[in-house]
Amino acid sequence: MRVKSRSGLADKVHGVTEYETITLEQSGPIARITLNRPDAANGMNDTMTRELADAAALCDTATTKVVLLTGAGRFFCAGGDLKSFATAPSRGRHIKGVADELHRAISTFARMDAVLITAVNGTAAGAGFSLAVTGDLVLAAESATFTMAYTKVGLSPDGSSSYFLPRLIGITRTKELMLTNRALSAQEASHWGLVTEVVPDDELTARADQLAAEMASTAAGSNGAVKALMLATFSSGLEEQMELEGRIIAGRAESADGREGVDAFMAKRKPEFG
């Protein structure tokens, strides 16, 4: 059956939402988004970021517990599509629009209850690097590499990297990556704290699917609470953060999943979260 997505940007056929530059496949509580411009190294143009923002919104539902994001072909994402930027009538206005849509997608991913797993299957450069490390859990193939690359072409970072990178690795290392365009191997990125797990190239898909299934069995509201607390922690004082913790855990205690988790623990059985 073929139906239009809610935004009208894509068709939906047998659970797969067909866009021009990405694919979105929903299987139960797990959504899989694939950046799908392999012939262009999955470079981000205005169509891709607009579609990514639309897909993120479609995933922001109570029924989606996990979003798995990866790239088609040899690249995760080589960053912005400079060819499309170069031909735009107004480069600044065009790039601002591309960045705005990417930022809308990242904001949705960061604030949804669903766990975002990024499976970095190859080079992640520029905005691809920025997007890769927004994952709540980041898997990287052994051959994957990470580089900022913005200043090589006279541009500056976007895609939330100036927010997340200093929080993940500190200001000094962030400046090194952004100013020198140093390329990190997957293992180096792991040692720096940017990657959760490095896996052999031919095992990445299976490991990502396994991790997605594990997260799909957990309580979405609890995962969303963790994400909300982490987003607030660097802007809150101690008492403000503890008050937020108290209010959120109280809400979780009253929720169906919170009741099920406690009841299952008392009954010494495995919880069945909704």
Side-chain angles (χ1 to χ4, degrees):
M1 180 179 180
R2 181 182 293 272
V3 296
K4 282 289 184 182
S5 68
R6 289 183 297 182
S7 66
L9 290 178
D11 290 330
K12 189 171 184 179
V13 184
H14 304 303
V16 180
T17 304
E18 297 180 337
Y19 293 94
E20 182 180 334
T21 65
I22 68 173
T23 63
L24 168 61
E25 183 177 3
Q26 186 81 37
S27 179
I30 301 172
R32 186 184 186 95
I33 298 174
T34 304
L35 307 180
N36 194 29
R37 299 185 70 213
D39 293 339
N42 295 325
M44 293 186 186
N45 58 14
D46 55 341
T47 302
M48 177 178 280
T49 58
R50 184 172 64 252
E51 292 181 344
L52 189 61
D54 184 71
L58 290 177
C59 294
D60 190 11
T61 67
T63 57
T64 299
K65 289 188 173 185
V66 182
V67 177
L68 178 56
L69 175 63
T70 193
R74 297 186 302 109
F75 289 79
F76 176 73
C77 174
D81 184 346
L82 298 184
K83 289 183 180 179
S84 70
F85 296 171
T87 57
S90 172
R91 291 186 184 182
R93 186 163 64 246
H94 179 79
I95 291 176
K96 179 62 162 58
V98 173
D100 284 349
E101 294 290 359
L102 173 60
H103 295 163
R104 188 158 65 92
I106 290 171
S107 179
T108 303
F109 287 138
R111 298 182 185 283
M112 63 171 54
D113 284 348
V115 174
L116 175 64
I117 300 172
T118 51
V120 186
N121 55 296
T123 297
F129 185 155
S130 302
L131 179 62
V133 299
T134 64
D136 301 307
L137 299 170
V138 182
L139 302 180
E142 286 180 334
S143 65
T145 58
F146 300 78
T147 182
M148 283 273 96
Y150 289 97
T151 61
K152 278 187 177 180
V153 292
L155 298 177
S156 55
D158 66 347
S160 77
S161 55
S162 65
Y163 179 90
F164 281 114
L165 280 180
R167 289 162 169 78
L168 290 168
I169 60 175
I171 292 286
T172 301
R173 278 183 160 174
T174 297
K175 283 183 177 180
E176 179 185 0
L177 291 177
M178 291 181 173
L179 294 174
T180 71
N181 299 303
R182 171 178 174 174
L184 296 179
S185 68
Q187 290 291 353
E188 288 173 322
S190 177
H191 293 155
W192 281 32
L194 292 170
V195 168
T196 309
E197 184 180 341
V198 179
V199 299
D201 289 20
D202 59 358
E203 297 177 14
L204 179 65
T205 298
R207 176 58 183 139
D209 289 343
Q210 179 189 35
L211 184 59
E214 291 172 4
M215 290 296 99
S217 69
T218 61
S222 293
N223 296 336
V226 170
K227 294 172 67 167
L229 288 167
M230 293 302 97
L231 280 177
T233 188
F234 286 102
S235 59
S236 299
L238 172 60
E239 285 72 24
E240 182 181 5
Q241 187 73 7
M242 290 192 296
E243 177 64 15
L244 182 61
E245 289 178 347
R247 288 179 178 274
I248 290 179
I249 196 172
R252 296 307 310 152
E254 294 291 345
S255 71
D257 279 347
R259 292 178 181 276
E260 167 61 11
V262 173
D263 291 348
F265 177 83
M266 297 302 295
K268 297 182 179 181
R269 61 175 174 80
K270 184 177 180 179
E272 295 182 5
F273 296 120

